[in-house]
Amino acid sequence: LPKDVSKTAAAYLSAAPSGGAHTLPDLPYDYNALEPVISAETMTLHHTKHHNTYVTNLNVALEKLDAAVSAGDVSGIIGLEGALKF
């Protein structure tokens, strides 16, 4: 692998938690804490669906990155850049 590609991939992979996968953290407040401005239903949907999707997609991208690095697949590594730079 080219040094710059290898260095970038290593940085992404080293950011993973020790358990190997990122998890959705609990909010430090209840879903209804922002009512009446933001409803508990909106907060629940946003946190459990939207944010959880980001975490899930990050874990999938990191698994693919690990496989691409192991295979020396430079184009695969570069192709994952968009999924990892949010």
Side-chain angles (χ1 to χ4, degrees):
L1 293 174
K3 186 175 182 178
D4 57 337
V5 172
S6 179
K7 184 177 178 181
T8 301
Y12 280 124
L13 292 171
S14 69
S18 61
H22 292 274
T23 58
L24 182 67
D26 291 333
L27 291 176
Y29 47 85
D30 292 333
Y31 289 131
N32 65 355
L34 302 176
E35 288 184 333
V37 178
I38 301 174
S39 71
E41 180 182 9
T42 298
M43 287 298 297
T44 301
L45 176 70
H46 189 75
H47 184 250
T48 62
K49 300 294 184 190
H50 294 226
H51 282 240
N52 195 48
T53 298
Y54 293 130
V55 172
T56 299
N57 290 340
L58 173 60
N59 286 326
V60 168
L62 288 172
E63 286 177 18
K64 289 180 179 179
L65 179 62
D66 189 34
V69 168
S70 295
D73 180 7
V74 174
S75 62
I77 294 168
I78 293 170
L80 289 165
E81 184 177 278
L84 295 168
K85 69 176 187 176
F86 64 92

